[in-house]
Amino acid sequence: MHISYSPIGYFKTPHTTIEDMPIQPRGAVGIRGTVSVNAEYAEGLADLDGFSHVIVLYHFHKVTSHALTVVPFLDTQSRGVFATRSPKRPNSIGLSVMRLVSVRGCELELENVDVLDGTPVLDIKPYVPGFDVWPVEQVGWLAKGEQDAETMRSDDRFKD
């Protein structure tokens, strides 16, 4: 089965190189960027301005290969890629929850942006705590370092 997606828009962010980017939105608090949605999808933005946060799905466009095991940013040990947030995934899909500052025409202004400039956007969904937040019993190997996501910056380990 072949599956293909086309971008609905693109990010404009201050992150122009992969090195030294925040690795999660938690490490990008206050950093602003925009998503410019293609005009043919503008009608789909109706009513989005009533939400404070959005889930943005995007394509890791600078990643050209994948690995089934990786050494993630918050560890020194090799881990299965599906137990990480590594961009070197079989389908190169990223997900971030960001604060929605405004909707103006075809442009979303976002805050807590941890995404590379020019990244293609695949979808935007409203973030609803009643749907999206679950009590968590365990966070696997990240239990010892998840708080480090606020200060950790990316390096070149996932460049091809």
Side-chain angles (χ1 to χ4, degrees), residues 57-79:
L57 298 166
Y58 46 89
H59 174 69
F60 290 118
H61 66 296
K62 295 292 184 179
V63 176
T64 58
S65 66
H66 72 273
L68 296 180
T69 59
V70 297
V71 177
F73 290 122
L74 296 174
D75 203 4
T76 56
Q77 184 175 325
S78 187
R79 305 285 180 177

Side-chain angles (χ1 to χ4, degrees), residues 25 40 46 51 61 89 97 100 118 124 131 149 159:
E40 66 263 34
F51 294 88
H61 66 296
R89 316 183 74 71
V97 176
L100 178 61
I124 301 162
F131 300 168
K159 283 179 97 171

Side-chain angles (χ1 to χ4, degrees), residues 16 21 23 49-50 67 90 99-100 105 117 124 130 137-138 140 148 160:
T16 57
M21 283 180 39
I23 63 163
D49 60 353
R99 187 167 98 56
L100 178 61
D117 187 56
I124 301 162
E137 292 83 32
Q138 56 190 27
D148 295 336
D160 293 318

Side-chain angles (χ1 to χ4, degrees), residues 20-49:
D20 204 37
M21 283 180 39
I23 63 163
Q24 292 294 318
R26 183 66 77 193
V29 172
I31 297 175
R32 289 196 176 196
T34 59
V35 168
S36 294
V37 174
N38 300 343
E40 66 263 34
Y41 301 116
E43 187 178 351
L45 297 175
D47 307 308
L48 191 61
D49 60 353

Side-chain angles (χ1 to χ4, degrees), residues 66-72 78-93 139-142:
H66 72 273
L68 296 180
T69 59
V70 297
V71 177
S78 187
R79 305 285 180 177
V81 71
F82 300 126
T84 76
R85 300 285 185 101
S86 165
K88 290 192 81 122
R89 316 183 74 71
N91 284 314
S92 301
I93 296 172
V139 293
W141 65 269
L142 276 165

